[in-house]
Amino acid sequence: MKQFTSVKDIPDPIGLVQDTIKLKNNHRFSDLGKNKTIGLLFFNPSLRTRMSTQKAAQNLGMNHIVLNVGQDGWALEFEEGAIMNGTTVEHIKDAAPVMGLYCDILAIRCFPNLKDREEDYSEKILQQFIKYCNIPVISLESATLHPLQSLADMITIQEHQKQHTPKIVLTWAPHIKPIPQAVANSFAEWAVGCGHQLTITHPKGYELSEHFTEGTVIEYNQEKALENADFVYVKNWSSYHEYGKILDVQENWLLDNQKMSITHHANIMHCLPVRRNVELSDELLDSENSLVLKQAENRIYAAQIVLQKILETNF
Ligand code: CP
């Protein structure tokens, strides 16, 4: 594995989930990464991704260097041929190869700006790091995808599913500000990649890019979607078609115990952070059906298996 930016980088996603569960249960610590360094670049805030990836690197004996690019780094220029007489100080063509000299693997968090869909969906920042850093790259959530989160989610489902073909529902939830589509896009392509049946439910206008939802069922009626569900993944996202906008939604999309009563005693999932009683109610987050802490724990092993595969195949 040279890079980890999407389920498409993985030849066998189901095998990767199974390998991760074996690692978690039997081989948590090794020195495979001894004398190797991972650089963690954050253009945006993080709790889980930062700490779980550091912990995963430690479990493999790796060193890590964290750079909060958005706060501490030089302002980077990404335009080819730019005359840099404005606010940007260093071009990605110069910064990325330097980072490649200091690190063996580079991991990058770069959210979308939610203003220019074409630019965000071209993954301009992530792709230029891949182009210029000359070392393997891991996405810590890009403009369109969050693959480490989705791998952790697939592991969590595998650990908790009681039947061969569970019904999985991804439901849109309310939020007070525009949120990227990355977690939802990524969950959809990983669920399909792992052979799951996924139903996505959202208000009209919140359709995700078909590029990521191929193979899923779209059901606009939330209650109908929830019928007999085994797993309910709750997530807000802003509009893809009216790009980055929050649309007017009249119906109540907040999940509660009453709505969950039509499911198959479903497990509730959310990637966190969550705005309690806006996106998801206290009664569900604090219930025995909530898997949110299991998902967060599995972020360690998702990162660790990806680091392990990259170390095994590139060094
Ligand atoms: N789920 C997730 O990526 O959390 P952080 O934004 O805190 O890293």
Side-chain angles (χ1 to χ4, degrees), residues 42 44-52 109 111 140-141 146 149 183 233 270-273 296 299:
F42 288 91
N44 315 97
S46 167
L47 186 159
R48 279 143 292 273
T49 305
R50 178 183 305 240
M51 295 182 75
S52 63
R109 166 162 283 199
F111 288 174
L140 298 177
E141 186 171 344
H146 195 356
Q149 180 65 54
V183 170
Y233 200 103
H270 189 288
C271 62
L272 303 180
R299 292 294 307 273

Side-chain angles (χ1 to χ4, degrees), residues 20 22 46 72 91 100 111 113 124 149 167 176 188 212 233 235 253 265 270 279 288 291 301 307:
T20 315
K22 277 189 215 144
S46 167
D72 308 331
H91 203 283
F111 288 174
N113 62 26
K124 184 174 161 185
Q149 180 65 54
K167 180 176 178 185
I176 59 163
F212 300 110
Y233 200 103
K235 188 72 187 89
W253 278 76
H265 201 56
H270 189 288
E279 282 180 87
E288 62 179 15
L291 294 181
Y301 306 106
L307 287 175

Side-chain angles (χ1 to χ4, degrees), residues 5-9 117 120-123 127 142-145 181-182 184-190 192-193 200 207-216 218 240-241:
T5 63
S6 156
V7 74
K8 296 190 172 62
D9 293 321
R117 187 173 84 180
D120 288 345
Y121 272 65
S122 72
E123 294 286 10
Q127 288 306 325
S142 68
T144 65
L145 292 169
Q181 297 98 30
N185 288 340
S186 197
F187 185 77
E189 68 166 24
W190 276 83
V192 172
I200 305 177
E207 294 79 7
L208 295 163
S209 164
E210 288 176 13
H211 178 73
F212 300 110
T213 58
E214 194 182 342
T216 68
I218 312 297
Y240 170 74
H241 290 285

Side-chain angles (χ1 to χ4, degrees), residues 96-115:
V98 170
M99 294 176 190
L101 295 172
Y102 299 157
C103 304
D104 300 285
I105 298 172
L106 215 49
I108 302 152
R109 166 162 283 199
C110 48
F111 288 174
N113 62 26
L114 292 179
K115 292 185 171 65

